[in-house]
Amino acid sequence: MSCEEIWREIPNYIGGKHGAVMRASIEEHLKDCKHCTAALGGAGNVVRLAADAATFDLRAGHSNRLGQKLSRKREQARRGTNQRIVFYVDDNPKALRILTFALEWAGYKVITACNAEALERLKQTSSDLVLLAYRTPQMIGSKLTRDIKQLNPDIPILLISGHTLLASEELTYVNAYVGGGATLDSLLTQVRVLLTPV
């Protein structure tokens, strides 16, 4: 496989969408190619970038291809009958855009809100999971999670943060937590786990 083919397949590789033969081909290439290994490692940093509020701009042409792929995924999802809805709360617009894209690419419908409007928007929508970005200690995350649980006690809340340690009172109403150093794959795994019926 060429480097360009590997780069096109990185999202599918990370998402576990390849069969054993394709995965083996990609892994064989990665053993000998530092550039592709670096590209794969960079793709895994999306959650860290979003959690730390870091941003980046895509090279010319990439955003068009990504937008087209996202449109195809949305259309496929609309045809599906059991698309799960993630209610994503974040005050950082660039991080919101990055993680929304990743969640939609993974097949979820995403409804977004900033902290100030979160409760009102949540009352007006039906969601399967709340994803809450916790950026600074000044955010009153525990109050928002408490209010969400009072509104809907059964909805799982996944807290993401660039901080590795949070006070226990911040996690009282949280079902799962993804902290600093996490990868996009670990975030998507937590989303899948929380949305899997018991």
Side-chain angles (χ1 to χ4, degrees):
M1 294 182 77
S2 70
C3 289
E4 291 173 355
E5 290 171 314
I6 296 291
W7 295 342
R8 279 194 301 267
E9 295 301 325
I10 283 175
N12 294 326
Y13 179 81
I14 290 173
K17 306 237 188 272
H18 290 304
V21 174
M22 178 63 96
R23 280 190 84 75
S25 296
I26 292 171
E27 288 166 1
E28 186 63 33
H29 181 91
L30 291 172
K31 287 179 188 175
D32 299 323
C33 183
K34 293 178 183 177
H35 297 290
C36 290
T37 302
L40 177 63
N45 289 329
V46 172
V47 171
R48 281 192 295 277
L49 289 170
D52 294 338
T55 60
F56 58 92
D57 293 319
L58 298 174
R59 288 194 329 227
H62 276 97
S63 63
N64 290 340
R65 287 193 303 271
L66 291 172
Q68 290 168 355
K69 184 172 184 173
L70 182 57
S71 293
R72 286 192 304 270
K73 287 274 189 184
R74 283 181 181 149
E75 184 57 35
Q76 290 170 352
R78 273 194 280 275
R79 289 186 220 137
T81 56
N82 288 335
Q83 187 178 20
R84 306 307 294 266
I85 301 170
V86 175
F87 188 81
Y88 176 28
V89 181
D90 198 332
D91 281 337
N92 182 301
K94 290 181 180 179
L96 192 74
R97 200 169 50 241
I98 292 168
L99 212 44
T100 296
F101 174 81
L103 289 163
E104 288 178 340
W105 183 85
Y108 299 104
K109 179 178 179 186
V110 181
I111 299 170
T112 61
C114 65
N115 282 310
E117 65 181 11
L119 282 176
E120 284 306 312
R121 297 268 334 257
L122 194 56
K123 288 176 186 175
Q124 299 167 1
T125 62
S126 173
S127 302
D128 299 301
L129 176 133
V130 173
L131 178 62
L132 176 61
Y134 181 98
R135 300 240 172 256
T136 65
Q138 290 76 31
M139 263 182 62
I140 315 290
S142 58
K143 180 181 179 340
L144 182 56
T145 56
R146 184 189 69 231
D147 292 346
I148 291 170
K149 286 293 188 175
Q150 286 176 345
L151 184 65
N152 183 349
D154 297 325
I155 195 163
I157 298 175
L158 174 56
L159 183 69
I160 59 171
S161 175
H163 303 282
T164 52
L165 296 174
L166 292 177
S168 60
E169 61 268 9
E170 294 295 332
L171 301 174
T172 303
Y173 300 97
V174 173
N175 297 84
Y177 167 66
V178 176
T183 63
L184 176 60
D185 193 37
S186 63
L187 173 68
L188 292 175
T189 298
Q190 283 293 336
V191 169
R192 279 191 296 272
V193 166
L194 290 172
L195 290 174
T196 301
V198 179

